[in-house]
């Protein structure tokens, strides 16, 4: 039983046969790009299912719904604008986008926009709950596949990492603070907060990690000890540490890729 649930305690995502060796890779293999696109398509579809349920959406979609209520924008376009705006916050935080970052902004918003035209809206409580379960599972599975591609953080994950590097606060505090702010602002603008929001916040990450963890015994590279950090694949270091490790460090932070735990080359 403990071995079956061991995925809940892992802090890394395995490097699988299709994973990019580094996040900043603008010429990935076809397989890597394929898994990236699959993960983003599933993530966007899951978000659309949650919206169609009408019983609460993910924190950032609550904000997108709020923006939609006060503009002529569609929910998909609002998602695109919010994601793109977050990237501007990366500049002072010294985050560097990868190809996965850019495709994240475009694909998820596009899938939400078009999928909603084909998803029936329900007001039946049982059907809404089924929609929520399917939506959370689909976004979680998509997120796990997206993570294993290792082609750059999503806009929101990059914001989280940048703020964590800057403040030194625990990742959970930073992530929860950002998502709570998005929910409160979106709710004040008329976004839908409900059971779907709570379930997404509590179960999404476990589903994502489980999805990335399951295929690792079968598809991990040899040796299997090569690991990449969980979303996004960067660690914080001080700029002075990079230039001169013996020189007193400054409070300015940059991001560097983590060293693999084992690399025979």
């Amino acid at each position: 039983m403990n071995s079956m649930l061991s995925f809940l305690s892992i802090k890394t995502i395995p490097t699988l046969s299709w994973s990019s060796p580094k996040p900043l890779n603008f010429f990935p293999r076809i397989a890597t790009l394929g898994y990236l696109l699959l993960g983003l398509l599933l993530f966007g579809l899951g978000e659309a299912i949650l919206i169609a349920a009408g019983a609460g959406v993910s924190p950032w979609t609550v904000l997108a719904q709020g923006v939609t209520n006060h503009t002529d924008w569609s929910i998909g376009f609002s998602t695109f604008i919010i994601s793109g705006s977050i990237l501007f916050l990366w500049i002072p935080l010294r985050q560097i986008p990868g190809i996965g970052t850019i495709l994240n902004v475009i694909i998820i918003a596009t899938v939400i926009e078009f999928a909603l035209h084909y998803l029936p809206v329900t007001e039946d409580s049982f059907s809404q709950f089924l929609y929520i379960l399917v939506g959370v599972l689909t976004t979680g599975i998509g997120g796990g596949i997206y993570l294993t591609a290792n082609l750059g953080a999503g806009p929101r994950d990059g914001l989280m990492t940048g703020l964590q590097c800057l403040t030194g606060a625990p990742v959970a505090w930073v992530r929860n603070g950002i998502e709570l702010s998005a929910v409160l602002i979106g709710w004040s603008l008329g976004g839908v907060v409900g059971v779907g929001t709570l379930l997404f916040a509590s179960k999404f990450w476990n589903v994502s990690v489980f999805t990335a963890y399951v295929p690792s015994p079968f598809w991990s590279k040899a040796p299997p000890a090569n690991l990449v950090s969980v979303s996004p694949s960067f660690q914080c270091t001080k700029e002075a540490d990079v230039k001169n490790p013996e020189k007193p460090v400054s409070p300015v932070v940059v991001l560097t890729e983590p060293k693999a735990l084992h690399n025979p080359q």
Side-chain angles (χ1 to χ4, degrees):
M1 184 67 175
N2 290 336
S3 60
M4 292 177 62
L5 298 178
S6 59
F7 77 93
L8 293 174
S9 62
I10 66 173
K11 298 180 180 180
T12 56
I13 296 295
T15 298
L16 304 181
S17 60
W18 58 79
S19 301
S20 171
K22 58 182 181 179
L24 300 180
N25 178 8
F26 291 95
F27 300 97
R29 292 171 298 160
I30 294 178
T32 305
L33 188 60
Y35 277 100
L36 171 71
L37 295 176
L38 175 62
L40 293 175
L41 287 170
L42 288 175
F43 193 100
L45 177 60
E47 289 275 21
I49 294 172
L50 284 172
I51 295 171
V57 293
S58 66
W60 286 99
T61 306
V62 174
L63 178 59
Q65 286 181 326
V67 171
T68 298
N69 290 337
H70 293 269
T71 62
D72 294 329
W73 300 344
S74 65
I75 184 68
F77 188 69
S78 293
T79 300
F80 175 80
I81 293 297
I82 291 172
S83 298
S85 299
I86 292 173
L87 291 182
F88 285 101
L89 299 177
W90 282 32
I91 298 174
L93 296 174
R94 299 196 177 192
Q95 296 278 9
I96 302 176
I99 188 173
T101 309
I102 306 304
L103 291 178
N104 182 299
V105 174
I106 298 172
I107 293 176
I108 291 178
T110 302
V111 172
I112 290 174
E113 182 71 21
F114 285 97
L116 285 175
H117 293 294
Y118 301 97
L119 290 172
V121 178
T122 178
E123 296 182 356
D124 175 65
S125 298
F126 181 73
S127 298
Q128 286 180 322
F129 186 70
L130 287 180
Y131 266 47
I132 292 171
L133 288 180
V134 173
V136 171
L137 286 173
T138 305
T139 52
I141 292 171
I145 296 173
Y146 167 76
L147 284 174
T148 60
N150 192 34
L151 283 173
R156 299 152 188 82
D157 285 334
L159 175 63
M160 174 196 69
T161 301
L163 289 175
Q164 193 279 327
C165 292
L166 187 65
T167 63
V171 172
W173 291 13
V174 176
R175 188 181 194 94
N176 291 338
I178 292 173
E179 293 188 346
L180 181 60
S181 299
V183 168
L184 290 176
I185 295 173
W187 178 70
S188 68
L189 295 174
V192 180
V193 178
V195 176
T197 310
L198 296 176
L199 195 59
F200 183 95
S202 61
K203 299 301 181 184
F204 164 74
W205 186 244
N206 286 348
V207 176
S208 291
V209 173
F210 179 73
T211 301
Y213 176 82
V214 165
S216 60
F218 309 100
W219 297 101
S220 292
K221 289 181 179 179
N226 275 351
L227 300 174
V228 293
S229 296
V230 167
S231 175
S233 305
F234 291 98
Q235 293 175 331
C236 300
T237 61
K238 302 276 181 80
E239 185 173 21
D241 291 336
V242 178
K243 295 181 178 179
N244 185 355
E246 297 181 355
K247 184 178 179 180
V249 298
S250 69
V252 179
V253 295
V254 295
L255 298 176
T256 59
E257 296 179 41
K259 295 181 179 179
L261 299 183
H262 177 73
N263 190 343
Q265 299 179 349

